[in-house]
Amino acid sequence: MGEPYGDQVARKQQEVAAALGPGITWDLPTVGPEAGFRNKAKLVVGGSRGEPTLGILDGHLRGVDLTGCGLYEPGLADIVHRLPTLVADLQLTPYDVASRNGELKHLLVTHSPDGDAMLRFVLRSPGQLRRIDLGAIRQHLPEARVVSVNLQPEHKAVLEGPDEQILTDHDTLPMRVNDVTLHLRPQSFFQTNTAIAAALYARARTWVEGLQPATVLDLYCGVGGFGLHALGHGAQHVVGVESSSEAVRSAELSATALAAAGTSEWLAGDATQHLIETTPDLVVMNPPRRGIGPELCRRLEDGGPAHLVYSSCNVATLARDLAAMPAYAVTAAGLFDMFPQTRHHEVMVLLERRGVPRT
């Protein structure tokens, strides 16, 4: 932070281009606002009952207030400013990491382009569930479409636990991205920068329209952003694979509105193990930072389709995976500045199997 934004982007472009090597034609970097771009706040709760802090913990495990963080998009920033008063009014006891006493560990808030919000309370145990008063929450946060409680009983650096109890009638937060409405459940992953996510999906759609693949296999599909943007834009059938069953349910719900554009199926499973019996025309991959790994690289190298789209938040693992698939060449590449004010990045490449006749 403090480095001029244009210099930040230029440095990232140099770093990702160097990592992938020469001979690649890069599109201009895709950028958005350098501040006020995050759609999600992950807040550690500190302080005391009646006087909570929301932000992070310092080196002495005391709460540090970050409610004025300049990275939150305006609607989210407005919500975050109201949260300390809400927590105090609910008389929730913050969890003290040093003494291992208290209940409320984190608040997780997601804000949609249409102004709605999802609010999640992460508690150590069900003991203070009775204090989560929906009436009081809606007085403070009328935008709260989805409210849930997540239980994280373990004392470790893991933000949330496996158990989630939804308290509202609505159990999804609609996220309108381009002309597709994605549905987020409490434990579904979504990119933290809505504007850049929209640009990423739009670029992938442009590539799909140019290729006209009848079938698309969307691996690590999350809530279906890439696959749903492809459906009806060259793709007639999409198969999405994701390890999170909650994300799969979200993708299925979103796909119902696009049924006229084509058919789709969404599977909960290990993307590494999954290639459909008939090789698809295109495989899209958006893996976590560790990349797709040697096994999937081998499967694609040996019998993958003519084209791949690979979106990565870690250019080092992307470069490693591309080196393991020499049958493919990069034909288009772009940097998407998903995380301004950090050294992190998003890179997406279009790959073509060598020797494929150009149309």
Side-chain angles (χ1 to χ4, degrees):
M1 296 181 69
E3 181 182 6
Y5 184 53
D7 293 346
Q8 292 183 35
V9 175
R11 173 176 46 77
K12 289 183 185 183
Q13 179 62 62
Q14 291 171 355
E15 290 174 353
V16 298
L20 296 191
I24 296 175
T25 300
W26 288 83
D27 296 332
L28 291 175
T30 299
V31 299
E34 60 184 284
F37 59 85
R38 278 189 65 94
N39 58 36
K40 187 170 186 177
K42 300 179 179 181
L43 302 163
V44 179
V45 183
S48 60
R49 181 187 290 188
E51 295 185 359
T53 63
L54 303 181
I56 60 173
L57 301 181
D58 66 15
H60 301 285
L61 303 179
R62 294 187 295 250
V64 177
D65 175 73
L66 286 182
T67 55
C69 177
L71 298 184
Y72 302 140
E73 60 187 33
L76 178 60
D78 184 41
I79 290 171
V80 169
H81 278 299
R82 286 176 268 153
L83 288 177
T85 303
L86 170 62
V87 172
D89 287 355
L90 294 177
Q91 287 292 290
L92 291 162
T93 304
Y95 180 71
D96 182 74
V97 174
S99 66
R100 304 193 182 189
N101 290 317
E103 284 293 336
L104 181 60
K105 292 186 170 184
H106 305 102
L107 287 177
L108 310 176
V109 192
T110 305
H111 184 254
S112 82
D114 294 316
D116 294 324
M118 178 187 298
L119 175 61
R120 302 172 63 205
F121 295 82
V122 181
L123 300 178
R124 184 176 67 162
S125 72
Q128 288 191 336
L129 257 170
R130 58 187 174 83
R131 297 187 184 276
I132 311 296
D133 181 346
L134 277 180
I137 291 170
R138 288 198 166 114
Q139 284 184 349
H140 288 273
L141 303 177
E143 309 95 324
R145 173 185 169 93
V146 182
V147 178
S148 69
V149 171
N150 179 274
L151 298 179
Q152 171 52 295
E154 298 188 64
H155 181 81
K156 62 180 183 181
V158 177
L159 205 61
E160 58 190 84
D163 297 326
E164 192 95 20
Q165 182 174 338
I166 297 175
L167 305 180
T168 47
D169 293 335
H170 294 294
D171 61 359
T172 69
L173 179 68
M175 297 288 287
R176 184 173 42 82
V177 183
N178 300 317
D179 57 354
V180 175
T181 297
L182 303 171
H183 290 268
L184 305 190
R185 283 185 163 78
Q187 294 182 304
S188 297
F189 168 79
F190 184 70
Q191 300 282 8
T192 59
N193 188 327
T194 306
I196 299 299
L200 187 74
Y201 296 145
R203 182 76 56 80
R205 173 185 279 179
T206 298
W207 290 348
V208 171
E209 288 175 330
L211 297 172
Q212 291 291 303
T215 59
V216 171
L217 176 60
D218 185 1
L219 299 178
Y220 311 94
C221 68
V223 295
F226 284 103
L228 292 169
H229 275 78
L231 201 61
H233 292 269
Q236 301 167 20
H237 182 67
V238 171
V239 178
V241 183
E242 166 61 43
S243 61
S244 166
S245 57
E246 286 291 286
V248 166
R249 290 176 61 202
S250 296
E252 289 173 337
L253 178 59
S254 301
T256 58
L258 300 174
T263 57
S264 64
E265 53 185 310
W266 307 90
L267 309 173
D270 182 357
T272 303
Q273 301 296 327
H274 194 91
L275 281 175
I276 56 179
E277 293 181 3
T278 302
T279 302
D281 299 302
L282 173 69
V283 172
V284 179
M285 301 170 289
N286 184 28
R289 288 185 59 81
R290 65 178 181 272
I292 65 174
E295 184 174 351
L296 184 52
C297 284
R298 178 184 57 77
R299 288 168 178 254
L300 291 168
E301 175 74 6
D302 292 345
H307 295 92
L308 310 174
V309 172
Y310 191 147
S311 182
S312 169
C313 61
N314 184 351
V315 75
T317 55
L318 172 61
R320 178 206 66 201
D321 290 340
L322 296 185
M325 297 186 293
Y328 289 94
V330 177
T331 60
L335 166 70
F336 296 78
D337 196 24
M338 192 77 71
F339 316 100
Q341 315 303 332
T342 77
R343 296 186 70 89
H344 297 287
H345 52 259
E346 188 81 19
V347 175
M348 187 166 64
V349 294
L350 174 62
L351 303 170
E352 183 176 87
R353 185 172 283 276
R354 299 181 193 275
V356 173
R358 295 295 180 94
T359 58

